[in-house]
Amino acid sequence: SKLMNTTTSLQLNLEAAPLMAALPGGDACYAHWLSAAARLEAQAQQHVFDCCPELTGLVDGKWTREALLFVHIGKTGGSSVAHWLRLANVSAVQVHVHPLLPSVVQRFGSRVVISVRDPIERLLSAFNYEQARILSIWRKMDGCFASVNELVERALLTANATPACRSMALSVAPNFSMPNTPLPAVAPFHGGHVSLGLCHYLAGVMPLLRQDRVWLVRQETLAADLGGLARWLGRDNSTALPRIPKLTVTPRKDPPLSAAARQLLREVVLVPEYALMERLELLAANGKRIASARRIASARSR
């Protein structure tokens, strides 16, 4: 398949670095995206990809500029969203696993749908998902940590893990913004969906997302958000609309997070993920803007 020209793609995001630097943990978040994006662009030039080029947004197909851009963030109910879009005959360019490149936003960013989820809940779901996979670093991880709570408490909250286990924990979560911790080199797919949060997909393209041209489909309110999406797309009166899919939720086997582990994730480790969620809520046509604006103002005043 023919690929889009990405030679100048990273030059389109000149505003992204200072915008991200203004967010808590934003430098590490942006560094993760930049490394992953540079790797993807190099692969696009060679026409050789780590995985699934059809999910980069770079492969020229039957799409027109009017196609919707769907950013499918892993473990957010995105597969249900993609299925619904197909059944509704909505032409959509899907980006999944790979970072979203500026050139893709420039071409298809007139309408952007993003599947999202509370960052802690997404992390827990991704951890459980990756533990069940066979060809994964998580087979080695089994000997280190039996749960997210154990990983956070032993490798991040304290120094109670072996150096090898702590290094492994950090290597699968390069967007963790731990103080005094060097950012590991990004190894795409190394940690599976655990390391592929909002920072991975969006940190370098936030200035390119236009006000009210973004629609959020939240895992927590998937049915309501897809119903709203139908109206946003002018499909609310269509008799051909598919039924809202039911999410399949895998029962959680790991113990709940301790209060200390949850606090560390919310206030330190996943701070940039929550900061990006706030920004998306302010941008989205269906965003929770008042609450987001208040939280951002409160964070700035601290």
Side-chain angles (χ1 to χ4, degrees):
S1 299
K2 184 180 178 182
L3 294 174
M4 288 170 51
N5 186 348
T6 64
T7 305
T8 61
S9 180
L10 295 184
Q11 298 173 7
L12 297 174
N13 71 324
L14 298 179
E15 299 176 25
L19 183 148
M20 292 304 301
L23 299 179
D27 286 334
C29 180
Y30 177 73
H32 171 77
W33 175 88
L34 188 63
S35 178
R39 181 184 178 93
L40 176 57
E41 290 213 330
Q43 292 177 359
Q45 295 302 315
Q46 299 172 16
H47 291 217
V48 177
F49 295 88
D50 286 328
C51 169
C52 33
E54 71 278 6
L55 297 177
T56 62
L58 298 174
V59 179
D60 267 336
K62 57 185 178 182
W63 304 313
T64 66
R65 293 187 69 91
E66 288 71 41
L68 177 151
L69 174 59
F70 172 42
V71 184
H72 173 184
I73 296 171
K75 314 318 295 176
T76 62
S79 294
S80 295
V81 178
H83 182 64
W84 184 90
L85 290 170
R86 284 194 298 271
L87 292 179
N89 293 316
V90 175
S91 177
V93 179
Q94 181 177 180
V95 172
H96 180 51
V97 180
H98 302 282
L100 181 59
L101 293 181
S103 58
V104 177
V105 182
Q106 291 277 324
R107 185 176 183 187
F108 301 113
S110 61
R111 295 180 303 173
V112 184
V113 173
I114 307 173
S115 61
V116 295
R117 186 177 190 175
D118 174 83
I120 290 179
E121 295 304 315
R122 196 203 72 82
L123 177 67
L124 293 171
S125 178
F127 187 92
N128 288 332
Y129 174 80
E130 296 301 341
Q131 275 193 319
R133 298 177 69 184
I134 297 175
L135 301 176
S136 169
I137 189 177
W138 295 90
R139 290 305 174 191
K140 297 178 182 178
M141 194 73 92
D142 285 346
C144 290
F145 314 106
S147 66
V148 174
N149 190 71
E150 191 175 325
L151 184 153
V152 174
E153 289 194 336
R154 289 182 51 215
L156 306 180
L157 194 59
T158 68
N160 199 22
T162 65
C165 285
R166 187 168 192 270
S167 175
M168 196 177 300
L170 292 172
S171 74
V172 300
N175 55 337
F176 280 8
S177 55
M178 295 298 295
N180 304 317
T181 301
L183 187 72
V186 175
F189 321 115
H190 184 62
H193 287 299
V194 171
S195 57
L196 307 184
L198 290 171
C199 289
H200 174 80
Y201 287 93
L202 299 174
V205 297
M206 290 298 290
L208 300 177
L209 299 180
R210 292 157 51 190
Q211 188 76 46
D212 292 330
R213 304 310 297 167
V214 173
W215 190 270
L216 300 181
V217 180
R218 308 166 187 84
Q219 188 269 352
E220 297 85 352
T221 54
L222 181 128
D225 289 338
L226 281 181
L229 175 60
R231 293 187 291 274
W232 193 57
L233 297 175
R235 300 289 189 92
D236 49 314
N237 294 322
S238 173
T239 57
L241 270 182
R243 295 179 62 183
I244 303 297
K246 290 185 178 180
L247 284 174
T248 301
V249 180
T250 304
R252 195 169 281 160
K253 299 178 181 178
D254 56 322
L257 289 174
S258 67
R262 184 171 288 275
Q263 182 178 12
L264 183 72
L265 288 175
R266 180 63 181 86
E267 298 181 4
V268 180
V269 174
L270 295 176
V271 161
E273 295 284 315
Y274 279 100
L276 282 179
M277 277 289 293
E278 299 285 356
R279 291 288 177 181
L280 288 175
E281 291 285 1
L282 289 171
L283 275 174
N286 65 330
K288 302 170 184 176
R289 297 177 186 173
I290 296 177
S292 297
R294 286 175 179 169
R295 283 192 287 268
I296 289 176
S298 175
R300 287 175 175 170
S301 65
R302 291 173 188 169

